């Protein structure tokens, strides 16, 4: 059997008509996005009806309403949607690639690299407009370090995960060192950025990240066939003619790009990439190409909802959205680790 033929068989389920459960989940996700966007555009110190906010979004209505919606509320909301979508898909790819429910951009060092890139530019006195580019470069640097350190092992899954943890720890230490040596007036900004925030995003940043994110998501869907073959195991995939090392590096690279673009827009937001694959798998069943699209939708909803909680429900003003996601992520991670240890004990019993 040729690899192409196997790809066709492996992805035949994703080409068939989606189940009612998947369609219901997608419909609920779209409705949630619309509701959250409406809330984001209409609520704040200057509340306004939904119709007024929508007209202001397209530049119609009172100049004050247009300014508030177009320059402050809408870019922040769309930044959360785009970054959340990238994190959700990146988490799905990484967890399937490493067959590990704990895999995420945090584990692979992407968030540490993004933080180092952004903080380095802050330390150099660069313009705020360049900070997202520094974050993107830092995330790609972490992927390069990961590939260099793990290359001699033949890209073994366990080696990649352990190497990712080491890269993340080293980059986090470098970030802390830079912050400690910062002038006092810059240390606060650096700490807020490294927690993750969509505050102050501009349309230039949102459109730039959105274009790159759409391209990266399209590539991810194209590469899904290789991911489906890798799901069978390296031995089976190799027997079918797939170069497993090349395929794994391609998938790892695109996942890092997605996570780096998200970090460039929102900072190193935690928990989203870890939780989304589990939510999608629990509600829609085994992973398919459709699951990747649903992961993007779920990540967008989760991050925008978290940002609205930060803005309107918490008493602490100026709290980064990453503080909320990290608070949710800590108990979630403990539960996953507990479940993982129980499954390991059962397998050895």
């Amino acid at each position: 059997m040729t690899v192409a033929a196997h790809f066709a068989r492996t992805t035949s389920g994703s080409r068939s008509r989606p189940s009612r459960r998947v369609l219901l989940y997608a419909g609920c996700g779209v409705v949630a996005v619309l509701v959250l966007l409406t809330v984001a555009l209409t609520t704040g110190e200057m509340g306004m009806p939904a119709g007024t906010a929508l007209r202001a979004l397209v530049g119609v209505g009172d100049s004050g309403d247009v300014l508030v919606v177009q320059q402050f509320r809408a870019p922040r909301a769309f930044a959360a949607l785009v970054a959340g979508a990238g994190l959700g898909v990146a988490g799905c790819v990484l967890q399937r690639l490493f067959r590990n429910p704990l895999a995420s951009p945090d584990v692979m060092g992407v968030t540490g690299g993004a933080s180092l890139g952004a903080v380095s530019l802050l330390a150099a006195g660069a313009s705020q407009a360049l900070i997202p580019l520094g974050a993107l470069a830092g995330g790609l640097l972490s992927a390069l370090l990961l590939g260099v350190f793990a290359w001699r092992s033949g890209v073994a899954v366990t080696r990649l995960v352990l190497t990712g943890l080491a890269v993340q720890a080293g980059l986090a230490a470098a970030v802390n060192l830079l912050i400690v040596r910062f002038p006092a007036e810059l240390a606060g900004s650096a700490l807020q950025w490294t927690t993750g925030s969509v505050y102050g995003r501009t349309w230039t940043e949102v459109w730039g990240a959105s274009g790159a994110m759409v391209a990266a998501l399209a590539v991810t869907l194209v590469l899904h066939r290789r991911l489906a073959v890798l799901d069978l195991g390296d031995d089976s995939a190799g027997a079918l003619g797939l170069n497993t090392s090349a395929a794994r590096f391609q998938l790892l690279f695109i996942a890092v790009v997605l996570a780096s673009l998200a970090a460039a827009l929102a900072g190193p937001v935690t928990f989203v990439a870890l939780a989304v694959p589990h939510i999608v798998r629990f509600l829609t069943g085994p992973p398919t190409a459709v699951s990747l699209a649903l992961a993007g939708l779920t990540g967008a909803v989760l991050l925008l909802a978290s940002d609205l909680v930060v803005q309107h429900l918490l008493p602490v003003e100026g709290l980064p959205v990453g503080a909320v996601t990290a608070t949710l992520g800590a108990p979630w991670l403990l539960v996953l680790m507990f479940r993982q240890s129980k499954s390991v004990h059962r397998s050895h019993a």
Side-chain angles (χ1 to χ4, degrees), residues 4-330:
H6 182 77
F7 283 166
R9 289 183 56 188
T10 321
T11 57
S12 59
S14 62
R15 292 178 180 176
S16 62
R17 182 178 302 175
S19 67
R20 290 183 179 179
R21 182 169 57 173
V22 169
L23 292 175
L24 178 63
Y25 185 85
C28 291
V30 172
V31 171
V33 167
L34 295 176
V35 171
L36 291 172
L37 267 178
T38 302
V39 173
L41 297 178
T42 57
T43 55
E45 293 185 4
M46 190 177 76
M48 61 184 71
T52 302
L54 292 176
R55 287 193 297 270
L57 182 62
V58 296
V60 178
D62 181 76
S63 59
D65 294 339
V66 172
L67 176 66
V68 169
V69 171
Q70 286 193 349
Q71 299 303 316
F72 298 105
R73 294 179 182 175
R76 179 170 183 165
F78 281 97
L81 290 176
V82 173
L87 288 172
V89 176
C92 267
V93 172
L94 289 175
Q95 289 188 14
R96 289 179 62 185
L97 187 61
F98 298 122
R99 307 183 196 103
N100 189 328
L102 301 178
S104 71
D106 302 336
V107 173
M108 306 316 299
V110 178
T111 56
S115 298
L116 180 62
V119 171
S120 297
L121 288 184
L122 282 172
S127 169
Q128 287 286 337
L130 296 178
I131 302 305
L133 295 179
L136 177 59
L140 295 176
L141 173 63
S142 68
L144 178 61
L145 290 174
L146 180 64
V148 169
F149 291 151
W151 180 262
R152 291 184 179 179
S153 68
V155 205
V157 171
T158 304
R159 178 65 177 272
L160 276 173
V161 172
L162 293 177
T163 304
L165 288 171
V167 169
Q168 175 72 10
L171 293 172
V175 169
N176 291 333
L177 178 62
L178 284 174
I179 292 177
V180 168
R181 299 180 63 88
F182 262 14
E185 61 272 14
L186 291 178
S189 299
L191 283 173
Q192 184 180 39
W193 196 94
T194 56
T195 308
S197 176
V198 288
Y199 173 76
R201 296 285 77 86
T202 65
W203 280 119
T204 300
E205 295 169 344
V206 171
W207 288 122
S210 299
M213 190 74 77
V214 168
L217 290 173
V219 173
T220 306
L221 291 175
V222 171
L223 292 178
H224 177 266
R225 295 180 175 184
R226 301 183 183 186
L227 184 60
V229 175
L230 287 175
D231 285 342
L232 301 174
D234 285 2
D235 292 339
S236 298
L240 291 167
L242 182 68
N243 186 332
T244 56
S245 295
R248 181 164 282 114
F249 266 118
Q250 290 168 356
L251 289 161
L252 175 61
F253 178 77
I254 196 63
V256 168
V257 169
L258 287 169
S260 298
L261 288 170
L265 197 56
V269 176
T270 57
F271 173 66
V272 175
L274 177 66
V276 164
H278 297 276
I279 296 172
V280 173
R281 191 180 307 117
F282 177 75
L283 294 176
T284 66
T288 63
V290 177
S291 300
L292 292 179
L294 294 178
L297 184 61
T298 306
V301 169
L302 185 58
L303 189 55
L304 180 54
S306 298
D307 191 50
L308 291 175
V309 169
V310 165
Q311 293 182 69
H312 307 298
L313 297 182
L314 296 182
V316 182
E317 185 177 353
L319 191 68
V321 66
V324 172
T325 60
T327 302
L328 294 172

